Amino acid sequence: IPVESTSGFPNQTSDTVDPIVLIDDEVIRYTSRTETEFVGCTRGFNSTTPSAHSSGTSVKQIPVQTTRWQIKPDDDHVLQRAIAYAESRSNEYRSTYTLDKTPYRVISISPNDGQSWGVYSDKTTQEITDLVYGLTGNVASALHDAMPDMYFGVYNYSVYADVPDIDFPYDNVYVDVATAYDYTTLTDAERISGLQARGATVGIREYYDVHQWYQDSIPSWGERKLKNIQKYGEAGASVYRAEASI
C-alpha cells in the first residue's frame, strides 16, 4: 500500500502493538514497511470486509489493542470490533444444546488460545479474568436489545479461569468451564457456582483423549466419562461439551 509516509507505524509485532492499519472500515495487516509503503498486506483482517478505497484516504494506526498473541480486552477499539463481529455473526452462531436438549444460540467473544498476555504479564490471573469477562459482559450488554435471543460466550480457561468480580445484568452470557489447562486454585464446582452467582449460564468443556494404549480399557474409560456428566450436572452445569483427540 503506497502512502506519503509510514513514520510512526510499527515494523513488526511487539508486545504492545501489531502491524495493522485501518483504512475506512477495513483492517489490513502488513508484514513490513518501507518509508512510503506497507508490504505483505493481508486484506480484510480481523473479520473486516475488503473494499475499494479512494486515493487520499487516511491510513490510521489502530490504537494499542493487542498483546503478543492476545487481544487487549480493556481497549475501546477491541470492544467496538467485538460488537461489530457479533453483529456480523447474527446468522452464523453456534448451536449449543443443554442436558435437557434446550438449544442455545451462542456467539463466542473468547480470547485466543494460549497464555501469552504480553503487557499483562504483571497481572494476576484474577485481574486477567476480570478483563476478559469485562469485554464479554460489555458486548452482551450492548447487544441485549438488538439480539435478545443470543448468548455471548467465553471460556473459563487458562489464565482467565477464576470467577470474575463482575455481575452480568442480563441472562445472555454463556460460559464453558474447561476441565483442564486452567490455572486456578478453584475447583470445577466452585467455578460453576461462582459464575452462576454472577449471572452466567454455565456449561462444561471436557477433554476426550482416546489413545491407542486405551484399547483394553475403553469400557472403564467410558464409564468414568459418563460419571463426569452426572457430576457436572449435579454441580449446576446445564451444557456438557467435549473436545476429542484420537
Side-chain angles (χ1 to χ4, degrees):
I1 300 174
V3 294
E4 291 183 358
S5 173
T6 62
S7 176
F9 288 80
N11 198 35
Q12 60 184 4
T13 302
S14 70
D15 284 340
T16 57
V17 292
D18 211 24
I20 49 180
V21 296
L22 180 68
I23 305 178
D24 294 327
D25 293 323
E26 181 185 359
V27 178
I28 299 173
R29 192 178 196 276
Y30 58 92
T31 58
S32 63
R33 63 176 174 83
T34 67
E35 292 183 357
T36 58
E37 189 174 41
F38 295 106
V39 181
C41 295
T42 300
R43 301 289 304 275
F45 190 69
N46 201 19
S47 300
T48 56
T49 302
S51 57
H53 306 288
S54 302
S55 177
T57 301
S58 295
V59 178
K60 301 176 182 178
Q61 180 177 342
I62 294 181
V64 174
Q65 62 163 336
T66 62
T67 68
R68 188 178 294 276
W69 312 126
Q70 291 292 356
I71 61 172
K72 194 169 185 291
D74 54 348
D75 190 287
D76 186 64
H77 183 81
V78 171
L79 172 61
Q80 297 308 315
R81 290 301 308 148
I83 292 172
Y85 167 81
E87 290 174 326
S88 72
R89 294 296 185 272
S90 60
N91 294 317
E92 301 176 22
Y93 53 85
R94 183 190 78 205
S95 292
T96 294
Y97 291 85
T98 65
L99 295 175
D100 64 1
K101 298 183 180 181
T102 301
Y104 288 156
R105 303 166 65 200
V106 181
I107 295 175
S108 176
I109 310 295
S110 205
N112 304 328
D113 200 351
Q115 304 169 42
S116 300
W117 284 83
V119 295
Y120 293 131
S121 60
D122 62 336
K123 293 189 179 296
T124 65
T125 57
Q126 181 64 60
E127 290 172 324
I128 294 176
T129 298
D130 290 344
L131 288 170
V132 169
Y133 281 83
L135 174 63
T136 304
N138 286 335
V139 173
S141 294
L143 296 178
H144 173 259
D145 293 335
M147 305 169 71
D149 298 324
M150 194 69 72
Y151 283 82
F152 300 91
V154 62
Y155 281 128
N156 190 253
Y157 168 72
S158 187
V159 293
Y160 47 97
D162 291 319
V163 174
D165 289 330
I166 297 168
D167 289 322
F168 304 116
Y170 305 107
D171 182 23
N172 65 344
V173 172
Y174 171 79
V175 181
D176 264 337
V177 171
T179 61
Y181 311 109
D182 44 64
Y183 301 91
T184 178
T185 59
L186 300 175
T187 65
D188 292 343
E190 289 172 334
R191 293 157 71 195
I192 292 170
S193 62
L195 288 160
Q196 287 176 325
R198 293 299 185 187
T201 297
V202 183
I204 287 294
R205 170 76 168 193
E206 179 70 290
Y207 294 86
Y208 285 177
D209 297 310
V210 185
H211 299 293
Q212 183 177 356
W213 50 86
Y214 284 1
Q215 60 183 341
D216 296 325
S217 61
I218 288 296
S220 61
W221 175 86
E223 289 171 4
R224 290 198 302 273
K225 294 304 179 182
L226 288 173
K227 289 180 180 179
N228 280 350
I229 295 176
Q230 179 179 357
K231 177 183 71 174
Y232 292 126
E234 291 174 349
S238 57
V239 174
Y240 184 88
R241 302 190 308 121
E243 173 184 319
S245 58
I246 298 177

